[in-house]
Amino acid sequence: MDEFHKLIKRLDILRKYVFWLLLRSPFDALRTWMTAVMMQSVFQCLQTSDQRTLPLLCIGYSLLCTLLFVYNGVV
């Protein structure tokens, strides 16, 4: 941890930037997990030719992308 603090001082990174980066980390992990689940569901729909579920998955993915855009604007 001491090396991390030295690196921050050496690179002259502001504390505010690190704070916002830490705030963003949980959302990125959640978004990555949700994207993986969505991709798995899409492939299952394509394999089973389920045409009713695919539009719902596309709408869910577009909402997820919108949330990421809004979150990036806030943070």
Side-chain angles (χ1 to χ4, degrees), residues 10-48:
R10 186 173 166 196
L11 294 175
D12 197 31
I13 297 175
L14 300 173
R15 289 182 186 177
K16 188 176 183 180
Y17 175 75
V18 173
F19 173 73
W20 289 116
L21 187 64
L22 289 174
L23 271 180
R24 184 184 160 97
S25 294
F27 185 78
D28 281 339
L30 178 66
R31 185 181 138 276
T32 302
W33 176 77
M34 288 178 71
T35 302
V37 169
M38 192 271 316
M39 291 294 288
Q40 182 182 16
S41 299
V42 166
F43 285 125
Q44 286 176 354
C45 285
L46 292 174
Q47 287 176 350
T48 60

Side-chain angles (χ1 to χ4, degrees), residues 2-13 15:
D2 189 42
E3 293 177 10
F4 180 70
H5 291 294
K6 287 180 184 177
L7 179 66
I8 290 174
K9 287 182 182 179
R10 186 173 166 196
L11 294 175
D12 197 31
I13 297 175
R15 289 182 186 177

Side-chain angles (χ1 to χ4, degrees), residues 30-73:
L30 178 66
R31 185 181 138 276
T32 302
W33 176 77
M34 288 178 71
T35 302
V37 169
M38 192 271 316
M39 291 294 288
Q40 182 182 16
S41 299
V42 166
F43 285 125
Q44 286 176 354
C45 285
L46 292 174
Q47 287 176 350
T48 60
S49 299
D50 185 12
Q51 295 179 358
R52 285 182 263 152
T53 309
L54 196 57
L56 295 174
L57 289 170
C58 291
I59 290 170
Y61 186 70
S62 64
L63 287 174
L64 183 65
C65 290
T66 304
L67 284 174
L68 175 66
F69 181 76
V70 170
Y71 186 79
N72 282 336

